[in-house]
Amino acid sequence: RRVHGGTNTPTHTKADQMGNSSRKRHGAPDRVIRNQGGEVIRLNVPFEPQGFCSKNILGIPESDRQVPPELAAKGISQEIWNEWMIEKLGRVQRMPTTVCCELTWMFLTGFLSLLCYSNHGYQRALHKWQHDFNEVLKPFGAYVKTRSNSVKVASHPDPQSVTVRREAVTWIAFALSPNEVESLRKEPHRTGVMIDGCCGQEKGAAVML
């Protein structure tokens, strides 16, 4: 069971906190979440999805090319990790991007065109990757889901000159206990400040951003 405080915050070891403090962004979860008994119940792996008009080949940090020890302890092998987190996720990441929300100046004709972004194919592929990976993880008592959280942050320290912008943090969550699996199943893919309806994308249909 998670440890709950006044803000519904599970406990973290000193190592967990130190491992996340240096690069933690607004709205980012801790990498390792433990229950009251010290058992790891969730692992959050940083993930960078395809960008607008570009693609990240791997998506996860170089340091996560090796199966994390928290997953290895559940019996998940390096071979499984390579197949799903390196090879198959890599294929999703390399999908051709659709031209996106970019303002393109047509030099030859002199016309300004606004092209609307659509990444439906990428979202569908990412959803299928999760569905298929979960079939593999089921015998190990684990569950995976892409997560993102968007917040509004001030881009200027002067309160008189504050410009608010949207900043999103994205990760891949692995639930590692029966209760945590059920909890993660019920959680939405996206939380925080959302942008829906762009170019016909259905509200709540996206699994990332």
Side-chain angles (χ1 to χ4, degrees):
R1 189 168 67 87
R2 280 175 177 255
V3 174
H4 298 284
T7 57
N8 192 29
T9 304
T11 56
H12 307 278
T13 67
K14 184 175 181 181
D16 297 335
Q17 294 168 338
M18 290 176 62
N20 289 289
S21 60
S22 61
R23 294 189 299 172
K24 190 168 181 179
R25 298 172 59 194
H26 293 282
D30 288 326
R31 180 180 175 89
V32 176
I33 297 178
R34 300 173 184 271
N35 62 14
Q36 190 172 16
E39 175 191 7
V40 176
I41 58 175
R42 188 177 295 204
L43 178 70
N44 296 308
V45 176
F47 175 63
E48 183 180 348
Q50 270 193 9
F52 298 109
C53 307
S54 66
K55 47 186 176 291
N56 183 312
I57 298 301
L58 186 58
I60 62 175
E62 288 288 336
S63 57
D64 280 314
R65 282 183 174 272
Q66 298 296 316
V67 59
E70 296 84 2
L71 296 183
K74 298 285 292 184
I76 299 169
S77 67
Q78 183 66 49
E79 288 72 24
I80 292 175
W81 186 257
N82 287 345
E83 180 181 359
W84 289 93
M85 291 295 291
I86 307 299
E87 297 171 12
K88 293 188 175 182
L89 181 57
R91 285 200 290 271
V92 174
Q93 291 290 93
R94 289 191 294 271
M95 287 182 62
T97 35
T98 306
V99 179
C100 55
C101 286
E102 67 179 21
L103 205 58
T104 305
W105 176 254
M106 311 299 286
F107 290 101
L108 295 178
T109 62
F111 288 105
L112 194 66
S113 64
L114 180 63
L115 301 177
C116 196
Y117 172 72
S118 172
N119 67 348
H120 293 182
Y122 176 67
Q123 296 284 350
R124 286 195 297 268
L126 195 58
H127 185 274
K128 184 178 187 305
W129 170 82
Q130 291 172 74
H131 176 271
D132 294 346
F133 193 10
N134 274 320
E135 291 301 309
V136 175
L137 294 175
K138 190 181 298 183
F140 299 97
Y143 184 83
V144 65
K145 178 180 272 188
T146 52
R147 294 294 317 277
S148 69
N149 185 51
S150 301
V151 296
K152 289 182 179 179
V153 297
S155 58
H156 197 287
D158 182 358
Q160 302 300 320
S161 306
V162 170
T163 300
V164 177
R165 60 185 173 82
R166 177 177 177 265
E167 181 177 287
V169 61
T170 53
W171 68 97
I172 298 175
F174 290 89
L176 304 176
S177 73
N179 287 342
E180 199 68 12
V181 166
E182 288 307 307
S183 177
L184 184 57
R185 284 182 187 274
K186 296 174 183 177
E187 292 175 16
H189 286 280
R190 303 181 298 156
T191 54
V193 181
M194 300 186 197
I195 299 177
D196 279 306
C198 179
C199 303
Q201 177 156 297
E202 291 185 27
K203 184 177 179 64
V207 296
M208 184 58 63
L209 294 179

